[in-house]
Every structure is written in C-alpha cells, then in structure tokens.
Amino acid sequence: MEGRSEVGKALGLLICGTLVYYHCAFRNSSILSLFSDVLIVLLCSLAILGLLFRQMNISVPVDPLEWQISQDAANNIVAWLANTVGAAESVLRVAATGHDKRLFFRVVVCLYILSAVGRLVSGVTVAYGGLCLFCLYMLAENSQSIRTCVPRLQRQRNGTTIDEDNM
C-alpha cells in the first residue's frame, strides 16, 4: 500500500505542477497572481461549504479559528530554517573565498550551466521540467514492474543469464 501512496503523491505533484506551469507560462501570470487565485478559490469554497453545513444543521468537528501551533513547534521550524540558511551560507562562503578549489570549481560550473539553461528557456519551464523528472523518478522507484526488471537487466549486464542464476 505504501507504493500506491507514493505513486499518488507523484501524480498529484505532477498535476499541481502542470497547473502552475500553465498559469505562469501560458497565461503569462505571476506566482503572486497564482497564489491570490488559489486563496480566493479556497476562501469561496470554504464559505460555501460553511453555509451549506449551517443549512443542513451539520456541526463542523474542527473549527479552523481554534487552530494553534505550539511554541515548541514554532521554535523547531525557525531553528530548522536558521540551520539550513546558515549551512548554505557557510558553503557559499567557503566556495567564494577559494579555500576549497574543488568546491569553488563545482560552484562555478553549476552556475555556468544554470546561466546557459536560463538563456535558452524560461525559469518556469526549467522548474516544470525538474518537477516532471522528479515525478518520473518517484514513479519509477515505486513501480512494481520496474523493481522486477532492474535485477534481470543487471544480471544480463554482468554476463550471467537468468537460467544460470536459477541453477
């Protein structure tokens, strides 16, 4: 069952990414416009559901106005964010000073490749392509047919056949 939930996550992510790509690339709208459209749709649908529940005398089990986040959870989120930003800043500082030559050249090569790709296509297209590749990876990782085919292909590449392995 876990494989099915991962496949569902990948497909949901791909569908959401496709809608974001359509909104930003083909409609020439900004991300801010997308967020405001999504917020308006969510608020309107929640208002309609609230009115419908009142008319049908259905009590809502959870009141969103009473949702709260604990102080510990807020501190953990901020600490994680600070650690992530600090680690990225530390790596970039080491790369910028040139003390680690391999890291410096890897950063330069990555930035050059990103610059070349950025000249060829828009950022939204690159992000959508990355999302599609990530979803294909998630689907391939959780696909049952791929799990059974990969060991066979590895055995054939190593010079053994399936019949020799069964003996």
Side-chain angles (χ1 to χ4, degrees):
M1 288 305 281
E2 186 176 317
R4 286 187 180 199
S5 68
E6 293 294 323
V7 171
K9 288 178 188 176
L11 291 176
L13 192 63
L14 187 63
I15 290 170
C16 290
T18 303
L19 292 173
V20 169
Y21 182 70
Y22 167 76
H23 186 84
C24 294
F26 291 115
R27 289 187 56 205
N28 293 327
S29 299
S30 66
I31 288 288
L32 185 62
S33 170
L34 173 69
F35 286 140
S36 64
D37 288 348
V38 168
L39 186 63
I40 288 171
V41 168
L42 287 175
L43 288 175
C44 290
S45 61
L46 286 175
I48 291 170
L49 280 174
L51 291 173
L52 182 67
F53 285 162
R54 278 193 201 137
Q55 289 294 326
M56 298 173 66
N57 292 328
I58 298 174
S59 64
V60 180
V62 177
D63 187 8
L65 295 176
E66 294 178 4
W67 289 354
Q68 292 181 357
I69 186 170
S70 69
Q71 187 68 33
D72 290 338
N75 288 338
N76 288 337
I77 292 169
V78 172
W80 173 82
L81 185 62
N83 287 337
T84 304
V85 170
E89 185 264 337
S90 174
V91 168
L92 292 176
R93 181 185 298 136
V94 169
T97 58
H99 292 304
D100 187 356
K101 300 291 184 201
R102 287 185 65 187
L103 179 62
F104 175 75
F105 285 117
R106 286 191 349 214
V107 168
V108 167
V109 168
C110 287
L111 290 175
Y112 183 75
I113 290 171
L114 286 174
S115 172
V117 169
R119 286 187 205 122
L120 295 175
V121 293
S122 70
V124 176
T125 304
V126 171
Y128 182 65
L131 176 70
C132 289
L133 289 175
F134 178 70
C135 288
L136 285 174
Y137 169 75
M138 285 179 62
L139 288 172
E141 189 177 83
N142 294 307
S143 175
Q144 187 66 22
S145 61
I146 291 178
R147 283 185 195 162
T148 58
C149 291
V150 170
R152 290 180 186 168
L153 292 174
Q154 288 175 342
R155 280 186 236 140
Q156 289 174 355
R157 189 173 4 143
N158 292 337
T160 62
T161 61
I162 297 170
D163 295 331
E164 291 174 0
D165 288 340
N166 290 335
M167 289 185 191

